[in-house]
Amino acid sequence: MIVTRFAPSPTGFLHIGGLRTALFSWLLARKNGGKFLLRIEDTDLSRNSEDAMKAILKAFDWVGMDYDGEVLYQSKRFDIYKQYINQLLSEGKAYKCYMSKEELDALREEQMAQKIRPHYDRRYRDFTGTPPVGISPVVRIKAPLEGVISFKDGVKGEINIAASEVDDFIIVRSDGTPTYNFVVAVDDALMGITDVIRGDDHLYNTPKQIVIYQALGFDFPRFNHVAMINNEQGKKLSKRDGATDVMEYKAQGFLPEALLNFLVRLGWSHGDQEIFSIEQMQELFDPKDINKSASSYSLDKLLWLNSYYIKESTNARLVVLLKDFGIDLQGNSKSDLILRATKERARTLIDLAGQICLLIESPKSYDEKAMKKVCKEDTRFILNDFISAIKSKSPKSKEAFHDLLQDFVAQKEIGFGKIAQPLRLALMGELSGAGLDEIMEIVGNDETIKRVEKFILAIS
Ligand code: GLU
């Protein structure tokens, strides 16, 4: 069975880079009927993992990603790590090193002066003497002295590191706490992880983790190291570019399925398909299609996907979602008309809410530039006549408003723009938006007349 995991360090929130690797791992597990586990790497006890955990779960909940079993906290597993450390010590696969910080610094300086790579010289590896007093030792692993540490990375291909490149690294600090690579390897093994998908910033931890797996006699998982997400300029994605809290995307009016669709395409592809439902992602995702090169974040693409998914959403769902953006269409008899007229054009829910506002509230101001451009000497007379036309015909439907407009321009022998543009400004305050007939159907006769009268005053 395929078992994958997401193993965030609790940094306070889940950012989109993390969500992407979580998504890949989740898809791989779900595709294969396997398990997706969650592990919080909170061995640095000074951080508040409880809040971070809540933030991660909130984000998972929003995007609809579920995990199996209980969340595992590394901070609660120190006894387990100790047991494996003791095993390695008693088997002679790890040893205590009493080198002081000063001695280590001196060694490093000497090596640098000799222009060799600073490394630990294994001086306590086979030490049998009496340990120096007053020093709390660290524990180091006996890394292989020769040969090559190899693994096949699903994305990067064959990775070979000469054993001489890997020191006898520390697995327990002098304060007794186990180090990062040690606990990751132990946990991945004990959790039965078959496939690790993580950022390629961890690529060079992997040989160390393999040394641990081998010392403990564990099989190691398949690894997939995913290239970073860059910004559009090809530089590391910063907070300003969008490397921010997943929940910020919710606040900015993105739909979760748009964000997941966007993320799945950052570093993975299936032909030139761009739109993937969650079901399709689960069906098609395969780590072998993860791209080798870094992907680049494009806000335009995310907005494009978001507008697609807004358009695809049912009105009932949008009514619920819009409440968070200050729009309550619940029980509004025109909600379907309003959404039909607006959802085609909205790129975010904030955008949609803004467009709806323009329909349900009289404009607070008018686009001044547009006003100067479209309002001529005769505009207020034309608008006044249009009010009379509405009053005499009392149109109700979109079609009736359409006919009214057509008859009006024909009868007055004026170009359509002469009425349409000022009318648009009067109704919405700006020139863009839905079709005029749709707008008037939604706004209704009385309110249309009121808005036009108000506008006439503004231009008189
Ligand atoms: N805790 C690590 C991180 O947040 C992930 C380690 C891993 O996936 O192996 O970057």
Side-chain angles (χ1 to χ4, degrees), residues 5 7-9 39 41 180 184 188 196-198 201-202 209:
R5 52 46 161 199
S9 306
R39 175 175 83 225
E41 309 215 308
Y180 173 75
V184 168
D188 280 340
V196 168
I197 303 181
R198 61 185 171 203
D201 47 338
H202 287 285
Q209 291 172 14

Side-chain angles (χ1 to χ4, degrees), residues 89-109:
L89 283 169
S90 66
E91 289 175 353
K93 293 178 176 168
Y95 59 95
K96 291 181 179 168
C97 167
Y98 295 86
M99 215 168 159
S100 66
K101 191 181 173 301
E102 293 70 33
E103 282 176 300
L104 257 176
D105 288 345
L107 176 67
R108 177 181 297 266
E109 265 177 36

Side-chain angles (χ1 to χ4, degrees), residues 77-146:
R77 293 167 63 82
F78 283 109
D79 286 348
I80 298 174
Y81 305 135
K82 209 168 183 173
Q83 194 185 317
Y84 283 98
I85 297 286
N86 288 338
Q87 178 187 323
L88 290 178
L89 283 169
S90 66
E91 289 175 353
K93 293 178 176 168
Y95 59 95
K96 291 181 179 168
C97 167
Y98 295 86
M99 215 168 159
S100 66
K101 191 181 173 301
E102 293 70 33
E103 282 176 300
L104 257 176
D105 288 345
L107 176 67
R108 177 181 297 266
E109 265 177 36
E110 200 182 303
Q111 289 168 333
M112 301 229 294
Q114 289 171 21
K115 301 216 172 349
I116 53 175
R117 179 180 70 83
H119 64 280
Y120 171 66
D121 61 5
R122 307 192 180 96
R123 68 178 67 171
Y124 282 94
R125 184 172 170 122
D126 300 307
F127 181 73
T128 50
T130 314
V133 281
I135 300 242
S136 309
V138 297
V139 177
R140 290 183 181 270
I141 187 94
K142 281 189 183 168
L145 295 175
E146 51 195 30

Side-chain angles (χ1 to χ4, degrees), residues 155-184:
V155 181
K156 311 276 173 190
E158 191 74 29
I159 306 278
N160 296 304
I161 307 279
S164 57
E165 295 284 311
V166 180
D167 293 346
D168 284 358
F169 57 91
I170 295 173
I171 55 175
V172 182
R173 298 181 194 91
S174 56
D175 65 0
T177 55
T179 56
Y180 173 75
N181 283 312
F182 183 76
V183 297
V184 168

